[in-house]
Every structure is written in structure tokens, then in C-alpha cells.
Amino acid sequence: MKWSDIQFQPPKTVLRQFAGAWLGFLLAGAGHQWLARGHHTAALVLGALAVGVGGLGLVAPATIRRLYIGCMIVAFPVGWVVSQVMLAVMYFCVITPVALFFRLRGRDLLHRAAPPPERTSFWTAKSLPEDVRRYLRQY
């Protein structure tokens, strides 16, 4: 994720999707506050925000553009950190152990180990297909 991924001029469909998500998540939060925790004031505030901002965004998406951009700017550092951590986890927990396993087993599919002295090149001759129409049948 990079800074240029943030849409500073989002289309109306993106703003409507944001308004719908805002409406859904805040209404779910209001329901949770009302039913599970018994915080009726917090539930009413969340419900009013959900209906006010979400409903307004669904009807007139241009009105919530600044809110959308603000939320994207606030969420950007979180997304960047998570993507970097996930790349590091994939590299150090998946790729590195597989590479070490292959090295310990002596796997060398590219034949990069020191060639015998009689070889002058790393070139490997390949056989040609009997029928050139085989090129058109990839599988």
C-alpha cells in the first residue's frame, strides 16, 4: 500500500459503498451496545450517526467525501504496517524455511553448482518436439 493508493477524488460509487458500510457497521455497533451491553445512550448516538451520515451518503454521496478522505488518511498507516508485517511473515516463516530445506537436501534445479572441468558452458541441450503443431497445444 502506498500513499498514491488513496483516492482523493473518489467516484460516487465508492462514496456510496463507504456510506453503506458506515451505515451497516455503526448500526451493528448500536445494536451491540443496546442489546449486549445495555448502554442505551451510546446505542442511540451510534444509531443517529449511522442513519445521519450513512443515509446522507447514500442519497447525496458528495457530502461525505471529506469524511471518506479523512478516514482513508487515518487508516493508511495501519494498512501500511500490516502489509509490511505480512510480507515479512511470509518471507521469514514460509519462503526461508522452504529454501533452507531445499539447500539441506541439495536441490539444485538450475545446476548452479561448480560444473565438471570438462564442461565449458552451463548450456543444456533440449530435445525438439517431433511435431511442430505441439506448440499450439500448450496443455
Side-chain angles (χ1 to χ4, degrees), residues 109-133:
L109 292 179
L110 296 178
H111 306 292
R112 295 183 313 149
E118 63 272 3
R119 283 185 69 178
T120 59
S121 170
F122 281 103
W123 181 263
T124 304
K126 298 291 179 190
S127 61
L128 295 174
E130 297 105 26
D131 186 10
V132 292
R133 290 180 292 182

Side-chain angles (χ1 to χ4, degrees), residues 74-99:
V74 168
F76 174 78
V78 174
W80 185 84
V81 168
V82 167
S83 65
Q84 298 301 312
V85 167
M86 289 307 298
L87 283 172
V89 165
M90 288 294 295
Y91 182 78
F92 290 111
C93 295
V94 176
I95 294 173
T96 301
V98 170

Side-chain angles (χ1 to χ4, degrees), residues 10-58:
K12 288 184 179 180
T13 56
V14 171
L15 292 174
R16 280 198 175 100
Q17 289 172 353
F18 176 72
W22 180 278
L23 184 68
F25 283 119
L26 285 183
L27 280 179
H32 176 70
Q33 289 293 331
W34 185 279
L35 298 173
R37 296 188 171 236
H39 298 154
H40 302 297
T41 306
L44 290 174
V45 170
L46 285 175
L49 273 174
V51 172
V53 175
L56 183 65
L58 289 174

